[in-house]
Amino acid sequence: MDFINIEKKWQEFWWKNKSFEPKDDFNLPKKYILSMLPYPSGEIHMGHVRNYTIGDALARYYRLHHYNVLHPMGFDSFGMPAENAAIKHGIHPKTWTYENIEAMQKEFEALGFSFSKNREFATSDPDYTKFEQQFFIDLWEKGLVYRKKAMLNWCPNDKTVLANEQVIDGRCWRCDTEVIQKELYQYYLKITNYAEELLKDLEVLENHWPSQVLIMQKNWIGKSSGLQFGFKIADECLKACNGIQEIEVFTTRADTIYGVTYIAIAPEHPLVEHAIKQVSQEDSKMIKAILNTTQRERALEKKGAFLGIYAIHPLTKQKIPVWVANFALANYGSGALMGVPACDERDFEFANLYHIPIKVITQSPQNLPHTKEEVLKNSGEWSDLSSSVAREQIIAYFEKENLGKRVINYRLQDWGVSRQRYWGAPIPMIHCKHCGIVPETQLPVTLPEDIVVDGEGNPLEKHASWKFTQCPKCHQNALRETDTMDTFIQSSWYFLRYTTPKNQRENQAFDQNYLKYFMPVDTYIGGIEHAILHLLYARFFTKALRDLGYLNLDEPFKQLITQGMVLKDGAKMSKSKGNVVSPKEILKKYGADAARLFILFAAPPAKELEWNDNALEGAHRFIKRLYDKASVINPTTSKPEFKEVSLNEAEKLARKKVYEALKKSHEIFNKAESAYAFNTLIAGCMEALNALGAQNNEQILCEGYFVLLQILEPIIPHTAWELSERLFKRENFKPIAIDESALVEDFMTLGLTINGKRRAELKVNINADKEEIIILAKKELEKYLENASVKKEIYVPNKLVNFVIA
């Protein structure tokens, strides 16, 4: 079998005939099958191969069954790696990016992926940037984008700001450098405006998305209900606080309010700036050190300093000391917490560390802290009540007396999108001394290409002819914004852009007819590592564009498949571990179809896949056997028909296995609960091929191939097209009805047991009656029954015969 030339032949045929372009007929049933787009690093890895093979199998199946399929591919092409490559290799980021795209396109073609060429693009293309910048301006004008100064996560290596979601265990998600805090101006998207809708709409995705992803998003949004109220600053401390009169806190445990013995505020809290002047030099150093550490570092070890000021408890009127604590976060609630050490492990640890008093407010005085809800004591009029009852009554009292109010808080923070780097979409804003921040009017704002990327800051800051411009309102000298957008913005709407044909993209973001027809994405495939970042942002962006009037859609992805990692020797493939398998080498030695077959056979999509060279060779052998055995079949353009009564047992079994595989194919591709267990389908095809080889009827072999090649086309397309063209002129590439007569059983197999213990099996005619079956069963178990007395004969139809003996 000359797989190299066969694959090349059909890849050229598909390209020349535009075989994978979606049709313009909106009356056809549609399927939008999408795999997450890759970063154009230049070489695809086995994770890519697995993801795209799964998606391609789905797309090919639905095309065979007359669906109008949109199955596109693009490139998430802005980002730091291009700048790093520019520094390392002395090549322009744009050149490096587009050369890599070209190389990856060839690898995709070599694997036979059925991507639409007409819908392809890179997110760094100017006609993509143009509409992204328009969205940004629209969001700005709607109040969903704002700019403010804040302490931000800063990657010293990449020299750029990171969103909270991009800091993984205190390190940059891209380069793994430890992140520090830096005060900078930043543009933010108001994702918090959509917190409740993002949370509620997770219900729509239940049973369609993996439960693990839904839980991760729910926890990240982090909805909590509680009491918001203030501790008034003690009169003698007001001067030191420079007019700040109270500290606002939020708590989900209003029932523990009588246990407050200190207030913890974040070092970024406005109060600190004034009160720090009166603390010791040592405490001042401590506070400034906390200020410059990341959230992860702050979580490692409790640290704090007493500010020397007090606030008044709203109920007891006692003075409560105010501390700066590293576990109080400026971006959660008001940046201030009430410390209840008797009822909270974190508060308890901090109180013990700094010898802060602990007030017990529950009936059990031992084993502090008491984190579970209990009956209260030392809690004023709410003593002797359960925590849950007291909590509701205390909140009601605070609202009645105008001391506080019930509020809902979210862990989710607004999305910071400014990045201090060159290779990204320019933020389309202009800074004018007279007009303030003004949107650009000439879009797209493209990057200057005459730059030098040397790793020292943002090249756009140094590019005078690009940076200095005129205000579009007053036409006086102004400065162009030099920050570029977070690349997660590009991947938050690319799936919508694919619906628009290439020839309509210059003048509109979306063609409404195509958008309404193809969206939402029917099946979206990607790694679970994108559960929070990309998938949450994409959901938010879809809702925001809906509210801007661009589309009428609430959720972008109907079904989500999170494919498992590809492992070798028990570890994720990586160059550092030296366990990388090169797709190019596999294609050269075994061919694309063998690679695809192995990927889909080795494990179900959601499970991890352990690389196995022997299994890959086995996949190659199966394809070769399939190919070689076809040589004895006489070509035809129609499927042979049979009457089961005229066939022998081997022939019937062969037909049964073929149609069982066809039935399994429909179940796996069309039922979400199947989890796309392609491995069981491939096993069924292997059994069918074995059964076809065990009989001698050429017509049954012909029928078997007519069906099997259609089943296998999504999995091993090159081989399937080659044999189907030669044998059937591809007339088998259309829906094939299941011949139910082939699935009818002539025989059944019964388990034979004695006193419930299995001893043998009995194969009998499906129409045999009970008396005949009992006689045959006794004969089969003759040696066990020879000297025994049968007390009882039990027949369970279609399952077993059991003899109870003395």
Side-chain angles (χ1 to χ4, degrees):
M1 176 184 177
D2 185 1
F3 65 82
I4 291 176
N5 282 321
I6 289 172
E7 289 173 2
K8 186 179 178 183
K9 166 188 171 181
W10 288 108
Q11 287 158 15
E12 288 177 355
F13 175 90
W14 295 329
W15 179 81
K16 183 179 178 182
N17 289 277
K18 300 181 179 179
S19 301
F20 308 130
E21 298 306 327
K23 298 177 177 65
D24 296 330
D25 186 351
F26 298 156
N27 293 313
L28 291 170
K30 70 91 183 180
K31 285 289 181 181
Y32 185 175
I33 309 298
L34 182 62
S35 293
M36 293 182 185
L37 80 175
Y39 183 80
S41 58
E43 287 187 359
I44 64 172
H45 53 68
M46 291 313 300
H48 289 133
V49 176
R50 188 178 194 200
N51 184 328
Y52 305 149
T53 299
I54 294 166
D56 199 59
L58 294 171
R60 285 178 175 276
Y61 172 87
Y62 289 119
R63 281 196 205 94
L64 286 171
H65 291 82
H66 294 171
Y67 281 84
N68 190 9
V69 176
L70 175 59
H71 182 47
M73 179 50 64
F75 298 90
D76 194 8
S77 50
F78 274 136
M80 278 303 302
E83 293 196 31
N84 294 338
I87 297 165
K88 185 177 179 180
H89 303 295
I91 186 171
H92 195 284
K94 181 178 180 180
T95 304
W96 183 84
T97 298
Y98 283 89
E99 284 181 355
N100 285 350
I101 287 173
E102 192 175 337
M104 291 177 76
Q105 286 169 330
K106 289 176 181 174
E107 290 195 68
F108 291 158
E109 287 174 19
L111 280 154
F113 295 145
S114 61
F115 298 135
S116 163
K117 291 284 186 184
N118 183 257
R119 308 299 170 116
E120 187 180 86
F121 59 79
T123 59
S124 52
D125 292 345
D127 65 355
Y128 191 81
T129 299
K130 174 182 177 181
F131 293 103
E132 186 166 276
Q133 289 171 337
Q134 185 60 60
F135 298 154
F136 190 94
I137 291 167
D138 293 343
L139 291 166
W140 171 271
E141 291 175 345
K142 196 175 175 67
L144 289 171
V145 174
Y146 63 95
R147 187 174 184 259
K148 72 170 184 178
K149 204 169 191 179
M151 294 298 294
L152 302 168
N153 302 310
W154 178 262
C155 176
N157 181 66
D158 290 345
K159 293 183 172 59
T160 188
V161 164
L162 301 172
N164 289 333
E165 294 91 334
Q166 294 166 324
V167 180
I168 311 298
D169 293 330
R171 295 181 176 273
C172 173
W173 74 288
R174 274 210 185 278
C175 68
D176 205 39
T177 300
E178 195 164 304
V179 172
I180 63 171
Q181 300 297 293
K182 190 172 183 177
E183 190 173 39
L184 289 167
Y185 275 107
Q186 170 92 332
Y187 288 90
Y188 291 87
L189 287 178
K190 277 193 178 178
I191 190 172
T192 52
N193 277 28
Y194 291 82
E196 184 60 31
E197 189 182 354
L198 286 166
L199 186 64
K200 188 175 184 300
D201 283 355
L202 290 175
E203 296 172 11
V204 177
L205 304 175
E206 285 181 10
N207 301 318
H208 302 287
W209 282 33
S211 58
Q212 186 181 357
V213 175
L214 299 179
I215 291 167
M216 290 168 76
Q217 290 213 1
K218 184 178 180 181
N219 291 342
W220 190 261
I221 295 166
K223 182 180 182 179
S224 58
S225 175
L227 176 65
Q228 184 176 294
F229 67 100
F231 288 87
K232 293 193 181 300
I233 302 293
D235 290 343
E236 65 271 26
C237 302
L238 284 170
K239 187 176 179 182
C241 297
N242 198 34
I244 295 175
Q245 297 187 358
E246 74 171 14
I247 301 171
E248 189 180 80
V249 300
F250 167 80
T251 179
T252 59
R253 292 291 307 274
D255 51 296
T256 66
I257 194 167
Y258 278 87
V260 175
T261 58
Y262 67 94
I263 296 169
I265 65 175
E268 297 90 348
H269 195 284
L271 193 59
V272 176
E273 184 183 347
H274 308 295
I276 198 172
K277 295 168 187 172
Q278 64 180 30
V279 305
S280 69
Q281 191 173 358
E282 186 180 344
D283 283 345
S284 179
K285 269 187 177 180
M286 162 81 77
I287 292 167
K288 287 175 181 175
I290 295 171
L291 192 63
N292 199 41
T293 55
T294 64
Q295 288 186 19
R296 176 177 175 269
E297 290 175 301
R298 295 184 193 188
L300 295 176
E301 182 185 359
K302 303 289 180 293
K303 289 182 182 179
F306 177 46
L307 264 184
I309 60 174
Y310 294 86
I312 306 301
H313 194 291
L315 298 180
T316 68
K317 306 305 178 186
Q318 292 177 328
K319 288 183 180 179
I320 308 294
V322 180
W323 287 70
V324 173
N326 62 351
F327 59 81
L329 303 176
N331 59 5
Y332 183 76
S334 62
L337 308 166
M338 63 182 210
V340 187
C343 299
D344 184 276
E345 289 180 3
R346 179 195 59 198
D347 297 353
F348 181 78
E349 186 183 338
F350 190 79
N352 275 337
L353 182 65
Y354 291 105
H355 310 292
I356 299 170
I358 297 171
K359 184 178 178 183
V360 179
I361 57 165
T362 54
Q363 298 285 2
S364 308
Q366 287 83 29
N367 302 320
L368 294 176
H370 299 140
T371 56
K372 293 181 180 178
E373 298 191 355
E374 296 186 38
V375 176
L376 301 180
K377 71 175 183 179
N378 300 327
S379 297
E381 65 184 90
W382 295 285
S383 295
D384 300 321
L385 293 178
S386 69
S387 291
S388 57
V389 172
R391 180 162 56 247
E392 291 305 309
Q393 290 190 12
I394 290 169
I395 293 174
Y397 175 82
F398 267 72
E399 291 193 314
K400 180 185 172 186
E401 299 297 324
N402 292 319
L403 295 172
K405 60 182 178 179
R406 185 192 298 272
V407 297
I408 291 172
N409 266 351
Y410 297 91
R411 178 176 180 262
L412 181 69
Q413 302 296 309
D414 280 340
W415 175 13
V417 296
S418 304
R419 299 295 177 264
Q420 295 67 45
R421 61 181 178 227
Y422 165 74
W423 190 240
I427 291 176
M429 310 304 279
I430 289 172
H431 299 269
C432 176
K433 288 181 181 178
H434 309 284
C435 306
I437 300 177
V438 181
E440 294 263 13
T441 54
Q442 298 297 316
L443 301 180
V445 180
T446 56
L447 295 166
E449 295 193 20
D450 55 335
I451 52 93
V452 175
V453 180
D454 54 14
E456 297 298 320
N458 183 355
L460 296 177
E461 284 278 4
K462 308 168 192 174
H463 198 291
S465 63
W466 187 87
K467 179 179 176 180
F468 293 104
T469 186
Q470 285 191 335
C471 173
K473 285 181 78 173
C474 69
H475 305 294
Q476 295 196 47
N477 290 338
L479 289 175
R480 184 169 271 139
E481 177 60 66
T482 57
D483 283 357
T484 54
M485 297 185 205
D486 179 8
T487 55
F488 277 97
I489 289 185
Q490 278 98 65
S491 59
S492 291
W493 70 282
Y494 79 102
F495 45 89
L496 298 164
R497 181 67 161 173
Y498 280 142
T499 65
T500 303
K502 191 172 287 187
N503 60 5
Q504 298 180 39
R505 287 180 184 160
E506 190 175 341
N507 299 317
Q508 57 182 351
F510 313 118
D511 179 286
Q512 289 301 318
N513 291 326
Y514 285 98
L515 186 69
K516 289 174 185 174
Y517 174 65
F518 279 117
M519 288 298 296
V521 174
D522 291 283
T523 304
Y524 195 36
I525 306 144
I528 199 165
E529 65 272 18
H530 300 291
I532 294 171
L533 283 169
H534 163 59
L535 288 168
L536 188 64
Y537 290 158
R539 294 182 62 224
F540 155 66
F541 222 81
T542 299
K543 295 174 190 299
L545 289 178
R546 174 202 64 197
D547 291 347
L548 291 173
Y550 282 98
L551 49 105
N552 184 22
L553 185 71
D554 296 328
E555 286 292 332
F557 311 122
K558 193 173 178 180
Q559 180 193 33
L560 176 69
I561 299 173
T562 51
Q563 94 277 2
M565 290 190 296
V566 181
L567 310 177
K568 190 176 184 195
D569 305 323
K572 182 181 178 181
M573 288 187 183
S574 71
K575 290 181 180 177
S576 61
K577 292 189 179 76
N579 65 346
V580 171
V581 174
S582 166
K584 283 183 179 176
E585 291 302 310
I586 292 168
L587 292 179
K588 187 177 177 181
K589 187 173 181 181
Y590 297 106
D593 284 352
R596 294 169 63 116
L597 183 66
F598 165 73
I599 286 284
L600 296 176
F601 186 48
K607 303 292 185 184
E608 291 179 336
L609 186 156
E610 178 69 38
W611 191 262
N612 185 320
D613 289 331
N614 291 332
L616 178 61
E617 288 180 12
H620 180 66
R621 286 196 301 272
F622 169 77
I623 294 170
K624 189 174 185 303
R625 191 155 53 92
L626 177 75
Y627 186 88
D628 291 345
K629 196 164 189 61
S631 61
V632 300
I633 299 172
N634 291 316
T636 180
T637 55
S638 59
K639 181 171 71 72
E641 301 294 333
F642 298 93
K643 291 183 178 178
E644 286 292 313
V645 290
S646 63
L647 302 178
N648 63 38
E649 192 171 330
E651 292 167 344
K652 287 179 180 179
L653 179 63
R655 297 195 73 233
K656 179 172 177 286
K657 290 294 182 182
V658 166
Y659 284 105
E660 280 179 345
L662 182 59
K663 189 174 182 181
K664 174 72 75 176
S665 174
H666 296 332
E667 289 171 357
I668 283 172
F669 282 101
N670 291 302
K671 293 182 181 177
E673 60 269 23
S674 74
Y676 297 112
F678 299 113
N679 54 326
T680 63
L681 172 59
I682 294 167
C685 291
M686 290 176 173
E687 285 182 17
L689 185 63
N690 289 339
L692 286 168
Q695 59 84 48
N696 299 312
N697 187 325
E698 189 269 336
Q699 283 295 95
I700 283 178
L701 184 66
C702 179
E703 179 200 29
Y705 265 68
F706 194 96
V707 176
L708 278 183
L709 291 175
Q710 191 232 54
I711 299 171
L712 288 167
E713 192 275 346
I715 299 165
I716 51 171
H718 306 90
T719 306
W721 279 65
E722 177 69 15
L723 292 178
S724 294
E725 174 67 21
R726 184 199 308 167
L727 299 176
F728 313 117
K729 297 297 181 187
R730 286 184 278 124
E731 286 298 314
N732 59 328
F733 282 3
K734 58 183 68 169
I736 299 172
I738 295 171
D739 187 342
E740 296 292 344
S741 68
L743 300 176
V744 174
E745 294 276 5
D746 287 340
F747 295 91
M748 59 180 168
T749 302
L750 304 173
L752 301 184
T753 63
I754 295 177
N755 292 344
K757 188 173 182 180
R758 194 177 186 92
R759 294 295 187 183
E761 284 185 349
L762 176 67
K763 190 172 183 180
V764 297
N765 191 285
I766 198 80
N767 297 315
D769 59 24
K770 179 180 177 181
E771 289 71 20
E772 184 182 354
I773 289 169
I774 294 293
I775 293 168
L776 291 170
K778 282 181 176 178
K779 188 174 181 181
E780 187 71 27
L781 296 174
E782 195 169 8
K783 66 178 180 180
Y784 297 102
L785 302 175
E786 192 172 358
N787 299 313
S789 173
V790 178
K791 299 281 188 182
K792 197 171 186 181
E793 300 167 346
I794 300 168
Y795 170 53
V796 180
N798 301 314
K799 287 189 177 180
L800 61 85
V801 177
N802 181 47
F803 295 109
V804 179
I805 64 173

